[in-house]
């Protein structure tokens, strides 16, 4: 497997962060997410309960409307440019062209201009996880975009934390979808027929859904998506949880709603994201 458990000890730790502090951080971040959806930006058809039968229980798309004004934002546009930089199949070589490298840098630059990432930067500096804006940008570039092999049995450089978490992959061994935990990526692929929504599995909050679907015809039995939050909000929450709660549940609350993010480090390099997702 690509992930390891709690046996990994991080070589460099910042200060400890309590659940209360994570809740304060997440709630403030949510309030400062200026680019998340406003009323009327999104319409969803959650359809029917998907169950475990690997059959489509919901004939309609999950997303029936996403406003152009939302997707035209700078962080969304730079995020969307990253979607076609990856081959979804593992065991097939991934490379990064000069153009793709520039797109990664543009995305990081765009999110760093937001109030979400300004607050995240200050939080991580105060907790001794980063030393400066330059340091955080370098860590984001490395932990999310550095290419690696998805499994120990694969010698091919075929994956990255960003591809797995935000874009989604198809495991060449199991023939199943892995990762894929971003609503913008889901919407974009559903709109062009690459994703087929099967139905919901859990819907504890209107902006967090557990679901099943197919991607390029391959099945994902259970996944989870935050719906409507900005790319920078997810990057911030996943990054902070990866730093302060690696390989374990990262528990917090937003507006009284209990939430959990699970992160995993890469099996060969604890500085790289193996996976990150909200638990639905």
């Amino acid at each position: 497997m690509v992930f390891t458990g709690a046996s990994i000890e991080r070589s460099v730790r910042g200060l400890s962060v309590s659940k209360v502090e994570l809740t304060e951080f997440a709630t403030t971040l949510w309030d400062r997410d200026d680019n998340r959806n406003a009323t009327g930006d999104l319409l969803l058809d959650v359809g029917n309960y998907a169950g475990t039968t690997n059959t489509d229980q919901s004939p309609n798309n999950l997303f029936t409307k996403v406003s152009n004004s939302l997707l035209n934002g700078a962080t969304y546009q730079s995020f969307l440019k990253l979607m076609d930089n990856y081959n979804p199949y593992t065991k097939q070589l991934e490379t990064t062209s000069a153009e793709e490298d520039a797109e990664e840098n543009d995305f990081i630059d765009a999110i760093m201009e937001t109030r979400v990432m300004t607050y995240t930067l200050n939080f991580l500096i105060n907790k001794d996880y980063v030393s400066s804006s330059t340091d955080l940008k370098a860590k984001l570039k490395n932990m999310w975009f550095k290419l690696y092999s998805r499994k120990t049995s694969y010698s091919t450089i075929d994956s990255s934390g960003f591809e797995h978490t935000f874009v989604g992959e198809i495991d060449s061994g199991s023939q199943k979808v892995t990762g894929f935990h971003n609503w913008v990526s889901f919407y974009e692929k559903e709109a062009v027929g690459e994703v087929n929504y099967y139905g919901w599995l859990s819907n504890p909050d209107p902006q967090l859904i557990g679901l099943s679907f197919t991607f390029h015809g391959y099945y994902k039995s259970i996944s989870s998506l935050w719906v409507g939050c900005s790319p920078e909000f997810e990057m911030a929450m996943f990054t902070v949880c990866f730093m302060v709660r690696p390989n374990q549940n990262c528990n917090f609350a937003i507006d009284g709603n209990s939430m959990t993010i699970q992160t995993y480090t890469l099996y060969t390099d604890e500085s790289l994201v193996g996976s990150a997702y909200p638990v639905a």
Side-chain angles (χ1 to χ4, degrees):
M1 293 292 291
V2 64
F3 313 130
T4 59
S7 60
I8 276 189
E9 291 295 329
R10 297 179 69 81
S11 58
V12 178
R13 287 184 180 270
L15 301 176
S16 63
V17 178
S18 69
K19 181 179 178 181
V20 171
E21 289 174 309
L22 280 172
T23 291
E24 181 182 358
F25 170 77
T27 300
T28 303
L29 209 67
W30 182 252
D31 292 339
R32 297 187 185 192
D33 189 9
D34 303 318
N35 294 322
R36 63 182 165 98
N37 70 293
T39 301
D41 280 337
L42 301 177
L43 288 176
L44 274 66
D45 181 354
V46 297
N48 302 310
Y49 178 65
T52 58
T53 59
N54 191 4
T55 56
D56 188 353
Q57 302 295 325
S58 301
N60 297 329
N61 283 357
L62 174 61
F63 290 95
T64 59
K65 174 193 173 183
V66 178
S67 70
N68 289 332
S69 61
L70 181 65
L71 295 179
N72 284 337
T75 58
Y76 287 88
Q77 285 296 297
S78 59
F79 178 83
L80 285 166
K81 287 181 180 179
L82 302 173
M83 294 296 100
D84 63 356
N85 290 354
Y86 301 98
N87 182 332
Y89 297 92
T90 62
K91 298 182 74 173
Q92 297 190 21
L93 181 66
E94 291 280 10
T95 59
T96 303
S97 68
E99 180 181 7
E100 290 168 345
D101 182 68
E103 289 173 348
E104 294 169 3
N105 294 335
D106 288 346
F107 172 66
I108 292 172
D109 287 344
I111 65 174
M112 289 297 292
E113 292 296 319
T114 66
R115 291 205 300 157
V116 160
M117 291 305 294
T118 297
Y119 184 72
T120 300
L121 171 64
N122 290 333
F123 179 84
L124 291 173
I125 288 176
N126 289 335
K127 290 297 183 179
D128 290 337
Y129 283 90
V130 302
S131 60
S132 64
S133 175
T134 300
D135 184 31
L136 176 55
K137 289 169 73 172
K139 283 182 166 63
L140 290 172
K141 178 77 170 184
N142 182 69
M143 71 173 61
W144 288 106
F145 294 102
K146 185 175 180 178
L147 298 175
Y148 55 71
S149 295
R150 175 60 30 192
K151 292 185 177 181
T152 53
S153 57
Y154 299 165
S155 60
T156 306
I157 302 300
D158 60 356
S159 184
S160 70
F162 184 88
E163 178 185 7
H164 181 83
T165 301
F166 291 94
V167 185
E169 297 180 295
I170 299 164
D171 186 85
S172 296
S174 68
Q175 301 289 294
K176 292 181 179 179
V177 178
T178 62
F180 206 141
H181 299 286
N182 177 260
W183 76 268
V184 179
S185 177
F186 191 99
Y187 164 73
E188 183 216 31
K189 293 173 176 60
E190 186 179 55
V192 296
E194 294 179 0
V195 162
N196 181 20
Y197 172 66
Y198 273 16
W200 59 270
L201 296 168
S202 60
N203 189 26
D205 180 271
Q207 295 196 281
L208 175 63
I209 183 172
L211 71 167
S212 66
F213 58 91
T214 60
F215 175 36
H216 286 298
Y218 295 89
Y219 184 47
K220 175 78 171 179
S221 61
I222 181 169
S223 190
S224 53
L225 304 174
W226 265 324
V227 178
C229 58
S230 69
E232 58 266 28
F233 178 85
E234 284 194 292
M235 285 291 288
M237 286 304 308
F238 289 164
T239 297
V240 167
C241 283
F242 178 76
M243 288 182 170
V244 308
R245 298 284 193 277
N247 297 312
Q248 58 187 299
N249 286 340
C250 181
N251 300 312
F252 55 93
I254 297 178
D255 294 338
N257 296 309
S258 295
M259 295 187 178
T260 299
I261 289 172
Q262 174 71 57
T263 67
Y264 292 99
T265 59
L266 186 65
Y267 62 100
T268 55
D269 188 339
E270 64 183 46
S271 71
L272 303 183
V273 176
S275 185
Y277 55 89
V279 178

